[in-house]
mmCIF file of all heavy atoms in Angstrom:
data_model
loop_
_atom_site.group_PDB
_atom_site.id
_atom_site.type_symbol
_atom_site.label_atom_id
_atom_site.label_comp_id
_atom_site.label_asym_id
_atom_site.label_seq_id
_atom_site.Cartn_x
_atom_site.Cartn_y
_atom_site.Cartn_z
ATOM 1 N N ALA A 1 174.317 -2.952 -5.729
ATOM 2 C CA ALA A 1 174.215 -1.514 -5.691
ATOM 3 C C ALA A 1 174.541 -0.799 -6.978
ATOM 4 O O ALA A 1 173.651 -0.471 -7.748
ATOM 5 C CB ALA A 1 175.082 -0.974 -4.578
ATOM 6 N N ALA A 2 175.789 -0.536 -7.220
ATOM 7 C CA ALA A 2 176.132 0.317 -8.358
ATOM 8 C C ALA A 2 176.472 -0.476 -9.593
ATOM 9 O O ALA A 2 177.251 -0.056 -10.408
ATOM 10 C CB ALA A 2 177.295 1.221 -7.983
ATOM 11 N N ARG A 3 175.873 -1.626 -9.737
ATOM 12 C CA ARG A 3 176.185 -2.452 -10.898
ATOM 13 C C ARG A 3 175.397 -1.999 -12.109
ATOM 14 O O ARG A 3 175.689 -2.382 -13.226
ATOM 15 C CB ARG A 3 175.858 -3.927 -10.623
ATOM 16 C CG ARG A 3 176.455 -4.443 -9.322
ATOM 17 C CD ARG A 3 177.953 -4.237 -9.248
ATOM 18 N NE ARG A 3 178.516 -4.836 -8.058
ATOM 19 C CZ ARG A 3 179.744 -4.632 -7.642
ATOM 20 N NH1 ARG A 3 180.541 -3.839 -8.305
ATOM 21 N NH2 ARG A 3 180.198 -5.215 -6.563
ATOM 22 N N ALA A 4 174.374 -1.196 -11.876
ATOM 23 C CA ALA A 4 173.526 -0.771 -12.990
ATOM 24 C C ALA A 4 173.813 0.670 -13.348
ATOM 25 O O ALA A 4 174.269 1.446 -12.532
ATOM 26 C CB ALA A 4 172.054 -0.926 -12.618
ATOM 27 N N SER A 5 173.524 1.026 -14.591
ATOM 28 C CA SER A 5 173.575 2.417 -15.013
ATOM 29 C C SER A 5 172.251 3.059 -14.649
ATOM 30 O O SER A 5 171.287 2.361 -14.330
ATOM 31 C CB SER A 5 173.775 2.487 -16.527
ATOM 32 O OG SER A 5 172.614 2.009 -17.168
ATOM 33 N N PRO A 6 172.144 4.399 -14.678
ATOM 34 C CA PRO A 6 170.850 5.017 -14.390
ATOM 35 C C PRO A 6 169.763 4.555 -15.339
ATOM 36 O O PRO A 6 168.610 4.415 -14.953
ATOM 37 C CB PRO A 6 171.130 6.526 -14.543
ATOM 38 C CG PRO A 6 172.443 6.625 -15.233
ATOM 39 C CD PRO A 6 173.189 5.391 -14.896
ATOM 40 N N MET A 7 170.129 4.294 -16.614
ATOM 41 C CA MET A 7 169.125 3.818 -17.564
ATOM 42 C C MET A 7 168.660 2.419 -17.199
ATOM 43 O O MET A 7 167.473 2.106 -17.251
ATOM 44 C CB MET A 7 169.701 3.833 -18.977
ATOM 45 C CG MET A 7 168.666 3.558 -20.057
ATOM 46 S SD MET A 7 167.335 4.768 -20.033
ATOM 47 C CE MET A 7 168.165 6.187 -20.721
ATOM 48 N N GLN A 8 169.607 1.555 -16.764
ATOM 49 C CA GLN A 8 169.227 0.210 -16.337
ATOM 50 C C GLN A 8 168.353 0.281 -15.098
ATOM 51 O O GLN A 8 167.403 -0.474 -14.952
ATOM 52 C CB GLN A 8 170.481 -0.620 -16.059
ATOM 53 C CG GLN A 8 171.253 -1.013 -17.308
ATOM 54 C CD GLN A 8 172.600 -1.606 -16.962
ATOM 55 O OE1 GLN A 8 173.223 -1.238 -15.981
ATOM 56 N NE2 GLN A 8 173.046 -2.531 -17.787
ATOM 57 N N ALA A 9 168.703 1.184 -14.179
ATOM 58 C CA ALA A 9 167.907 1.333 -12.967
ATOM 59 C C ALA A 9 166.497 1.789 -13.300
ATOM 60 O O ALA A 9 165.513 1.311 -12.731
ATOM 61 C CB ALA A 9 168.572 2.345 -12.026
ATOM 62 N N LEU A 10 166.388 2.714 -14.247
ATOM 63 C CA LEU A 10 165.075 3.198 -14.650
ATOM 64 C C LEU A 10 164.280 2.089 -15.323
ATOM 65 O O LEU A 10 163.088 1.913 -15.070
ATOM 66 C CB LEU A 10 165.242 4.381 -15.608
ATOM 67 C CG LEU A 10 163.962 5.129 -15.988
ATOM 68 C CD1 LEU A 10 163.259 5.644 -14.745
ATOM 69 C CD2 LEU A 10 164.279 6.274 -16.914
ATOM 70 N N LYS A 11 164.972 1.293 -16.182
ATOM 71 C CA LYS A 11 164.301 0.156 -16.815
ATOM 72 C C LYS A 11 163.764 -0.797 -15.761
ATOM 73 O O LYS A 11 162.656 -1.311 -15.873
ATOM 74 C CB LYS A 11 165.283 -0.597 -17.721
ATOM 75 C CG LYS A 11 165.548 0.056 -19.063
ATOM 76 C CD LYS A 11 166.479 -0.838 -19.869
ATOM 77 C CE LYS A 11 166.825 -0.204 -21.212
ATOM 78 N NZ LYS A 11 167.766 -1.037 -21.973
ATOM 79 N N SER A 12 164.585 -1.043 -14.721
ATOM 80 C CA SER A 12 164.178 -1.966 -13.664
ATOM 81 C C SER A 12 162.940 -1.452 -12.948
ATOM 82 O O SER A 12 162.002 -2.202 -12.673
ATOM 83 C CB SER A 12 165.330 -2.138 -12.671
ATOM 84 O OG SER A 12 164.936 -2.943 -11.599
ATOM 85 N N ALA A 13 162.924 -0.141 -12.645
ATOM 86 C CA ALA A 13 161.765 0.442 -11.975
ATOM 87 C C ALA A 13 160.521 0.348 -12.846
ATOM 88 O O ALA A 13 159.430 0.035 -12.371
ATOM 89 C CB ALA A 13 162.046 1.906 -11.614
ATOM 90 N N VAL A 14 160.707 0.596 -14.152
ATOM 91 C CA VAL A 14 159.586 0.504 -15.091
ATOM 92 C C VAL A 14 159.056 -0.915 -15.162
ATOM 93 O O VAL A 14 157.849 -1.160 -15.155
ATOM 94 C CB VAL A 14 160.014 0.996 -16.493
ATOM 95 C CG1 VAL A 14 158.994 0.624 -17.539
ATOM 96 C CG2 VAL A 14 160.216 2.500 -16.482
ATOM 97 N N LYS A 15 159.990 -1.905 -15.199
ATOM 98 C CA LYS A 15 159.576 -3.310 -15.254
ATOM 99 C C LYS A 15 158.779 -3.692 -14.018
ATOM 100 O O LYS A 15 157.750 -4.354 -14.093
ATOM 101 C CB LYS A 15 160.810 -4.218 -15.372
ATOM 102 C CG LYS A 15 161.330 -4.396 -16.783
ATOM 103 C CD LYS A 15 162.451 -5.420 -16.790
ATOM 104 C CE LYS A 15 162.962 -5.635 -18.212
ATOM 105 N NZ LYS A 15 164.072 -6.609 -18.223
ATOM 106 N N LYS A 16 159.283 -3.285 -12.833
ATOM 107 C CA LYS A 16 158.595 -3.623 -11.585
ATOM 108 C C LYS A 16 157.206 -3.012 -11.548
ATOM 109 O O LYS A 16 156.225 -3.663 -11.200
ATOM 110 C CB LYS A 16 159.408 -3.120 -10.388
ATOM 111 C CG LYS A 16 160.649 -3.945 -10.092
ATOM 112 C CD LYS A 16 161.383 -3.346 -8.908
ATOM 113 C CE LYS A 16 162.691 -4.092 -8.651
ATOM 114 N NZ LYS A 16 163.462 -3.449 -7.569
ATOM 115 N N ALA A 17 157.145 -1.732 -11.917
ATOM 116 C CA ALA A 17 155.848 -1.056 -11.899
ATOM 117 C C ALA A 17 154.884 -1.681 -12.891
ATOM 118 O O ALA A 17 153.696 -1.831 -12.630
ATOM 119 C CB ALA A 17 156.024 0.430 -12.192
ATOM 120 N N ALA A 18 155.420 -2.092 -14.068
ATOM 121 C CA ALA A 18 154.576 -2.721 -15.084
ATOM 122 C C ALA A 18 154.027 -4.048 -14.584
ATOM 123 O O ALA A 18 152.864 -4.386 -14.794
ATOM 124 C CB ALA A 18 155.374 -2.939 -16.368
ATOM 125 N N ALA A 19 154.898 -4.818 -13.886
ATOM 126 C CA ALA A 19 154.456 -6.111 -13.365
ATOM 127 C C ALA A 19 153.365 -5.932 -12.326
ATOM 128 O O ALA A 19 152.363 -6.655 -12.300
ATOM 129 C CB ALA A 19 155.643 -6.850 -12.759
ATOM 130 N N LYS A 20 153.539 -4.917 -11.451
ATOM 131 C CA LYS A 20 152.530 -4.679 -10.418
ATOM 132 C C LYS A 20 151.241 -4.158 -11.024
ATOM 133 O O LYS A 20 150.148 -4.471 -10.579
ATOM 134 C CB LYS A 20 153.082 -3.697 -9.384
ATOM 135 C CG LYS A 20 154.142 -4.353 -8.499
ATOM 136 C CD LYS A 20 154.862 -3.328 -7.649
ATOM 137 C CE LYS A 20 155.961 -4.012 -6.844
ATOM 138 N NZ LYS A 20 156.832 -3.064 -6.165
ATOM 139 N N THR A 21 151.381 -3.333 -12.075
ATOM 140 C CA THR A 21 150.199 -2.824 -12.767
ATOM 141 C C THR A 21 149.414 -3.961 -13.405
ATOM 142 O O THR A 21 148.188 -4.036 -13.317
ATOM 143 C CB THR A 21 150.605 -1.808 -13.858
ATOM 144 O OG1 THR A 21 151.299 -0.737 -13.238
ATOM 145 C CG2 THR A 21 149.393 -1.267 -14.581
ATOM 146 N N ALA A 22 150.153 -4.877 -14.049
ATOM 147 C CA ALA A 22 149.494 -6.011 -14.715
ATOM 148 C C ALA A 22 148.794 -6.900 -13.702
ATOM 149 O O ALA A 22 147.737 -7.467 -13.956
ATOM 150 C CB ALA A 22 150.534 -6.820 -15.488
ATOM 151 N N LYS A 23 149.406 -7.010 -12.496
ATOM 152 C CA LYS A 23 148.839 -7.879 -11.466
ATOM 153 C C LYS A 23 147.567 -7.293 -10.887
ATOM 154 O O LYS A 23 146.563 -7.964 -10.684
ATOM 155 C CB LYS A 23 149.878 -8.057 -10.352
ATOM 156 C CG LYS A 23 150.091 -9.492 -9.934
ATOM 157 C CD LYS A 23 151.247 -9.568 -8.945
ATOM 158 C CE LYS A 23 151.595 -11.030 -8.674
ATOM 159 N NZ LYS A 23 152.707 -11.144 -7.722
ATOM 160 N N SER A 24 147.618 -5.980 -10.596
ATOM 161 C CA SER A 24 146.490 -5.346 -9.918
ATOM 162 C C SER A 24 145.458 -4.788 -10.873
ATOM 163 O O SER A 24 144.326 -4.529 -10.491
ATOM 164 C CB SER A 24 147.003 -4.211 -9.032
ATOM 165 O OG SER A 24 147.582 -3.215 -9.833
ATOM 166 N N GLY A 25 145.875 -4.574 -12.135
ATOM 167 C CA GLY A 25 144.953 -4.007 -13.117
ATOM 168 C C GLY A 25 144.833 -2.512 -13.012
ATOM 169 O O GLY A 25 143.997 -1.879 -13.622
ATOM 170 N N LYS A 26 145.667 -1.882 -12.154
ATOM 171 C CA LYS A 26 145.624 -0.427 -12.029
ATOM 172 C C LYS A 26 147.028 0.101 -11.777
ATOM 173 O O LYS A 26 147.916 -0.637 -11.354
ATOM 174 C CB LYS A 26 144.692 0.001 -10.912
ATOM 175 C CG LYS A 26 145.014 -0.625 -9.568
ATOM 176 C CD LYS A 26 143.943 -0.267 -8.565
ATOM 177 C CE LYS A 26 144.208 -0.934 -7.209
ATOM 178 N NZ LYS A 26 143.165 -0.656 -6.247
ATOM 179 N N PRO A 27 147.248 1.399 -11.980
ATOM 180 C CA PRO A 27 148.585 1.948 -11.821
ATOM 181 C C PRO A 27 149.106 1.803 -10.401
ATOM 182 O O PRO A 27 148.336 1.761 -9.443
ATOM 183 C CB PRO A 27 148.424 3.431 -12.204
ATOM 184 C CG PRO A 27 147.180 3.479 -12.998
ATOM 185 C CD PRO A 27 146.306 2.390 -12.466
ATOM 186 N N ARG A 28 150.412 1.739 -10.270
ATOM 187 C CA ARG A 28 151.082 1.652 -8.982
ATOM 188 C C ARG A 28 150.882 2.928 -8.188
ATOM 189 O O ARG A 28 151.043 4.022 -8.694
ATOM 190 C CB ARG A 28 152.578 1.428 -9.241
ATOM 191 C CG ARG A 28 153.478 1.657 -8.058
ATOM 192 C CD ARG A 28 153.677 0.391 -7.312
ATOM 193 N NE ARG A 28 154.641 0.585 -6.238
ATOM 194 C CZ ARG A 28 154.546 -0.069 -5.098
ATOM 195 N NH1 ARG A 28 153.573 -0.918 -4.892
ATOM 196 N NH2 ARG A 28 155.461 0.103 -4.168
ATOM 197 N N LYS A 29 150.498 2.788 -6.910
ATOM 198 C CA LYS A 29 150.341 3.955 -6.059
ATOM 199 C C LYS A 29 151.613 4.205 -5.264
ATOM 200 O O LYS A 29 152.395 3.293 -5.023
ATOM 201 C CB LYS A 29 149.181 3.749 -5.082
ATOM 202 C CG LYS A 29 147.821 3.757 -5.766
ATOM 203 C CD LYS A 29 146.728 3.650 -4.740
ATOM 204 C CE LYS A 29 145.346 3.683 -5.403
ATOM 205 N NZ LYS A 29 144.279 3.518 -4.414
#
């Protein structure tokens, strides 16, 4: 839960979205 800072949490969300974007070839909906 609170082990990350807001910046780390944002990085994590960006990484996940980037991985899904790369997989599907289109932006995350």
Side-chain angles (χ1 to χ4, degrees):
R3 309 305 185 191
S5 68
M7 189 59 74
Q8 289 170 328
L10 188 57
K11 282 183 182 178
S12 176
V14 167
K15 276 186 179 179
K16 286 179 184 175
K20 287 170 183 171
T21 300
K23 228 174 188 180
S24 64
K26 55 187 178 183
R28 165 92 175 147
K29 290 184 179 177

